[in-house]
């Protein structure tokens, strides 16, 4: 099943949809399958925590659900409240070579092999959906696109083994790990507001037989920038889950960004990034200027 979160009219926000070809079936009523909660809320994302129940309810609503055009809705991140966003640094063989060959851009000390440096975290506050666009936070610095397969954790996971790792996966989405180049810590440079894009929807794990063999591409305008296959990951998906859950308990809705292939490059205000991953679909993301805060009224 392909599940999206979307805004429609001004009054119709944070709705839940099933994506079917070019249509969205509005199954927002399926969110009633989430039990009422109170403070302190459980960690993670409630939609993902209760996904089996929500999904069953959505399936029962499918036949009578209002049908909207995909082109008419504003797609938001299918995960609203992850407890964390662990991400893999340089994790494709060709990107490793690209980064090592250009120390001026990629800063030598940061291209150490993933086996040595492990993972990093992106701030949850950087998470947006494709309709919100990527805001150029520092126009004076280079901001790069990084397309990545996102793995969405479905159930709490502590110290997974390679054999059990995939059983904790709820589904997959396309991610952009937007990046300011520079010498600062990754967790800072990659956590500006809007620098973690997730979409266009969540594809449940049962629909993707082998996430380790998915073609992906990213274009800016007519220019193909990144083209790869998840078969070229240095550390594959099960081992990324093993590695992440060895250090922190993964919660429902946690988003693992699996790393980007070669071809990363800069974007500017006005660009549109077209991201595709086999089995998931196409995600279009505009690059937008920062909103200038209005002067205070005296
Ligand atoms: Mn990345």
């Amino acid at each position: 099943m392909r599940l999206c979160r979307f805004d429609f009219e001004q009054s119709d926000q944070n709705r839940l949809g099933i994506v079917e070809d070019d249509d969205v079936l509005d199954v927002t009523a399926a969110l009633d399958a989430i039990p009422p909660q109170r403070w302190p809320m459980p960690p993670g994302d409630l939609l993902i925590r209760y996904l089996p129940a929500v999904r069953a309810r959505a399936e029962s609503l499918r036949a009578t659900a209002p049908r909207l055009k995909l082109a008419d809705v504003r797609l938001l991140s299918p995960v609203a409240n992850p407890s964390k966003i662990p991400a893999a640094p340089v994790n494709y063989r060709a990107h490793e070579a690209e980064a090592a060959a250009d120390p001026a851009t990629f800063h030598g000390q940061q291209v150490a092999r993933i086996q040595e440096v492990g993972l990093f975290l992106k701030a949850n506050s950087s998470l947006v959906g494709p309709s919100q666009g990527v805001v150029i936070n520092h126009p004076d610095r280079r901001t790069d696109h990084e397309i990545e397969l996102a793995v969405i954790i479905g159930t709490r996971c502590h110290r997974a083994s390679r054999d059990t790792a995939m059983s904790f996966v709820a589904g997959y989405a396309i991610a952009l790990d937007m990046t300011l180049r520079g010498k600062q810590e990754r967790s800072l440079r990659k956590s500006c507001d809007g620098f973690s894009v997730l979409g266009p929807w969540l594809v449940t794990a049962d629909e993707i037989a082998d996430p380790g063999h998915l073609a992906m591409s990213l274009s800016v305008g007519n220019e193909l920038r990144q083209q790869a296959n998840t078969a070229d990951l240095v550390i594959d998906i099960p081992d990324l889950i093993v590695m992440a859950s060895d250090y922190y308990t993964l919660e429902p809705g946690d988003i693992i960004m699996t790393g980007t292939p070669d071809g990363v490059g800069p974007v500017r205000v006005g660009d549109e990034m077209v991201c595709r991953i086999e089995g998931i679909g196409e995600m279009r993301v505009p690059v937008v200027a920062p909103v200038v805060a209005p002067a205070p009224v005296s």
Side-chain angles (χ1 to χ4, degrees), residues 22 95 153 157 190 197 204 210 242 248:
D22 294 330
H95 182 41
I153 295 295
C157 169
K190 292 169 169 276
V197 186
T204 52
D210 185 0
V242 169
Y248 19 61

Side-chain angles (χ1 to χ4, degrees), residues 87-90 95 120 122 146-148 176-179 186 190 257-260:
V90 182
H95 182 41
F120 63 95
K122 293 179 62 110
E146 296 190 354
I147 185 175
E148 312 200 357
L176 280 167
D177 171 21
M178 299 303 297
T179 302
R186 282 190 172 89
K190 292 169 169 276
M257 294 198 183
T258 54
T260 201

